[in-house]
Amino acid sequence: MSSTFKDSISFLYTSESVTEGHPDKLCDQISDAILDAILTNDPLARVACETCVTSGLVTVMGEITSNTHPDVSRIIRDTIKEVGYDNPDLGFDYKSCRLILAIQEQSSDIAIGVNVSGEAKEERYSDYDYDREDADNIGAGDQGMVVGFACNETPELMPLTISLAHNLCLRLAFVRKEGIIPYLRPDGKSQVTVEYSHGIPKRVEAVIVSAQHSPDVTQDRINKDIIDKVISEVIPASLLDENTKYYVNPTGRFVIGGPAGDTGLTGRKILVDTYGGVARHGGGAFSGKDSTKIDRSAAYAARYAAKNIVAAGLADRLEIQISYAIGRAKPVSISIETFGTNHVDNANILALVNRHFDFRPASIISNFQLRRPIFKNTAAYGHFGRDNMGFPWENVDKADLIRKEAGI
């Protein structure tokens, strides 16, 4: 996006989402279900759990250090069943798929930097037990950068394109599970293109919905049902016009889907998980990682900061980048971009961010209570903008104070 966002007379922007039955999203849910099961009995566990699925096979691999040992095989099969792969006719089901587990402990070299931060070692530790975690001074679990974003296009302060795309996929899952469109199967995708005028959403240019279905239904029926019972129920009529284009199952057939049709992998839908491509991305995936991994926890903290700044009215759009060094608690850098939509000076916004938000891993974990088993709910339909899920990083509890201090 240009730094002169509002100066753009007209442009099109597109975001996509996928259903919980998409093979990549199935992997994310399996990885986070395993994470939640471990955190239930061992909140200090270290987890980096990756999943791969293909026709008839699930492979789970990674590094897990924990004093609890849940039944991982049962968790995998229960998650697959819950998503909807419960029938051999789908080409992949929870009963018959083969499981391969390849799990080891976290590297001791990484653990040293996480257990106690470099700052804490320098300031007050000489002889330290590196096998235990100092909850007040843990270091970042890896180097890297994260990005947080918010904008005032929707009530949840998310880009309209990704918000509509997620809601279409949520609706696809709903009509399938409730039998409203009984021939649908778990896999599905959506894509929404919005036309903007001077930075303001004007209309929907195009909607794409691909929905897996049983083989005995016609394309004409699918097209009518998806437009009438999905698209029309999600996208406001005020955004649709005679020039809006609809593409329902553009190839004309989507019977083979899920892991039977395409290999899935944890962390391969990072733009679906975040802001639909509207904001930049640090590159790290979320699912299967405990909160010492800044890829996940710091991205939540960056969203929290951006959302509170926009909710306070300091800018219409705000992107925050935070970077880390492995083993260090304090960020290496914090920067902001308002794309020309700021209502106070950017330097003042950055000062308020630094004053009101603590981006050290231990503080993020404590503030959001990230030792809880809350992550499986994040693994489909986005980690951000879902105010009904009670995710603490979606709170705007600092907006009033920030607005007051900014004098607006």
Side-chain angles (χ1 to χ4, degrees), residues 205-268:
E205 167 71 14
V207 183
I208 304 173
V209 175
S210 296
Q212 187 188 14
H213 59 86
S214 60
D216 56 352
V217 61
T218 67
Q219 174 65 14
D220 286 343
R221 182 180 177 189
I222 296 170
N223 190 77
K224 184 178 186 306
D225 284 348
I226 294 298
I227 291 176
D228 292 347
K229 299 175 181 178
V230 178
I231 297 174
S232 296
E233 293 292 326
V234 169
I235 300 182
S238 60
L239 292 175
L240 301 172
D241 58 31
E242 66 276 8
N243 295 316
T244 300
K245 303 173 184 66
Y246 301 93
Y247 303 94
V248 176
N249 286 5
T251 66
R253 181 178 171 86
F254 188 6
V255 173
I256 302 171
D262 192 14
T263 297
L265 187 65
T266 299
R268 204 156 57 177

Side-chain angles (χ1 to χ4, degrees), residues 57-69:
L57 177 65
V58 180
T59 302
V60 174
M61 57 208 127
E63 297 76 45
I64 298 176
T65 303
S66 175
N67 59 25
T68 189
H69 303 284

Side-chain angles (χ1 to χ4, degrees), residues 76-215:
I76 294 169
R77 295 190 190 279
D78 286 350
T79 303
I80 295 169
K81 180 182 180 182
E82 180 184 332
V83 167
Y85 291 108
D86 55 4
N87 188 331
D89 291 342
L90 299 177
F92 179 89
D93 72 283
Y94 75 101
K95 287 183 179 179
S96 66
C97 63
R98 186 163 63 98
L99 309 183
I100 296 177
L101 306 181
I103 297 171
Q104 59 187 352
E105 289 195 347
Q106 182 184 62
S107 161
S108 59
D109 290 348
I110 295 175
I112 286 175
V114 178
N115 288 349
V116 56
S117 69
E119 293 95 326
K121 294 176 195 174
E122 293 163 358
E123 291 173 7
R124 55 189 175 88
Y125 287 96
S126 53
D127 297 318
Y128 192 82
D129 178 4
Y130 292 107
D131 291 328
R132 74 175 179 86
E133 178 180 85
D134 187 318
D136 294 324
N137 295 284
I138 64 175
D142 202 351
Q143 71 174 47
M145 70 288 290
V146 299
V147 172
F149 181 80
C151 64
N152 62 5
E153 292 179 14
T154 62
E156 65 272 22
L157 303 184
M158 288 287 285
L160 180 62
T161 49
I162 190 65
S163 180
L164 292 176
H166 281 325
N167 286 333
L168 285 171
C169 283
L170 281 163
R171 180 67 182 175
L172 269 182
F174 178 80
V175 298
R176 171 177 63 88
K177 294 175 182 179
E178 295 298 316
I180 297 171
I181 305 182
Y183 53 79
L184 291 184
R185 292 178 170 180
D187 199 355
K189 304 175 81 170
S190 71
Q191 188 170 292
V192 178
T193 301
V194 171
E195 180 183 348
Y196 287 77
S197 177
H198 294 284
I200 306 299
K202 180 180 177 182
R203 55 182 290 276
V204 169
E205 167 71 14
V207 183
I208 304 173
V209 175
S210 296
Q212 187 188 14
H213 59 86
S214 60

Side-chain angles (χ1 to χ4, degrees), residues 291-398:
S291 53
T292 65
K293 281 72 173 176
I294 54 95
D295 283 341
R296 181 171 217 161
S297 55
Y300 293 168
R303 161 64 176 172
Y304 175 63
K307 188 173 183 181
N308 274 270
I309 294 294
V310 172
L314 276 62
D316 298 337
R317 304 171 75 83
L318 179 69
E319 181 183 274
I320 298 177
Q321 186 204 66
I322 309 168
S323 69
Y324 291 86
I326 187 169
R328 308 294 298 191
K330 294 180 180 179
V332 173
S333 67
I334 302 172
S335 64
I336 66 165
E337 170 64 76
T338 58
F339 309 95
T341 71
N342 53 305
H343 303 292
V344 300
D345 188 77
N346 278 349
N348 291 340
I349 295 176
L350 183 58
L352 287 164
V353 168
N354 284 316
R355 185 181 312 154
H356 289 286
F357 300 96
D358 189 343
F359 297 114
R360 293 174 299 173
S363 297
I364 297 169
I365 291 168
S366 175
N367 291 339
F368 296 154
Q369 297 181 305
L370 295 181
R371 301 295 191 188
R372 298 173 293 154
I374 62 171
F375 298 106
K376 184 169 178 286
N377 285 335
T378 69
Y381 310 113
H383 293 244
F384 307 126
R386 301 169 64 196
D387 292 345
N388 62 323
M389 298 301 294
F391 298 149
W393 51 89
E394 291 299 313
N395 293 335
V396 289
D397 49 339
K398 293 191 176 185

